[in-house]
């Protein structure tokens, strides 16, 4: 399973970016998906997760009300809409996927996930 994350870039504080995650050559529909982020010298931090159905979502407190995770199973993609960005959101963002029979479960722990994308850099300037 190969995941591709895209959409990162440089933005000023208060701006927005939309990250996308897709599975190369196939669908993400059988997978629960999460987004994580990492800054140099620190561990990979959970950001947001979504169930297979897309009905269940969960966010780390630091991004609640600013970030929205969604999935379009017809387009076979999972997006992370990031609004009101802050300099402390600067990180490499990774999407991750877990093959699961459950359409409602969400997963917030790094060790839950089996497959990872390559990461996309998000830089927020002050």
């Amino acid at each position: 399973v190969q995941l591709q994350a895209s959409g990162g870039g440089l933005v000023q504080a208060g701006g927005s970016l939309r990250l996308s995650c897709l599975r190369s050559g196939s669908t993400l529909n059988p997978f629960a998906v999460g987004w994580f982020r990492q800054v140099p010298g620190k561990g990979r931090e959970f950001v947001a997760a979504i169930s297979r159905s897309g009905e269940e979502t969960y966010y780390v407190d630091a991004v609640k009300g600013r970030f929205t995770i969604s999935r379009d199973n017809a387009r076979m993609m999972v997006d992370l809409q990031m609004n009101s960005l802050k300099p402390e959101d600067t990180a490499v963002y990774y999407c991750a996927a877990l093959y699961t029979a459950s359409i409602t479960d969400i997963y917030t722990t790094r060790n839950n996930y089996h497959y990872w994308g390559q990461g996309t850099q998000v830089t927020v300037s002050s």
Side-chain angles (χ1 to χ4, degrees), residues 3 5 14 24 39-40 43 55 67 69-70 76 87 98 101 108 112 118-119:
L3 303 179
S24 298
V39 299
E55 294 293 321
F67 290 12
I69 188 170
S70 62
M76 301 183 292
L98 166 68
T108 62
N112 288 141
Q118 82 285 6

Side-chain angles (χ1 to χ4, degrees), residues 5-56:
S6 62
L10 173 64
V11 65
Q12 288 188 329
S16 297
L17 285 172
R18 189 175 186 90
L19 306 184
S20 293
C21 179
L22 61 83
R23 178 186 174 192
S24 298
S26 189
T27 178
L28 270 175
N29 292 358
F31 297 83
V33 175
W35 284 95
F36 292 74
R37 64 188 179 187
Q38 189 169 19
V39 299
K42 292 191 175 182
R44 200 165 291 186
E45 172 193 33
F46 169 78
V47 176
I50 191 165
S51 64
R52 278 183 54 190
S53 72
E55 294 293 321
E56 293 76 21

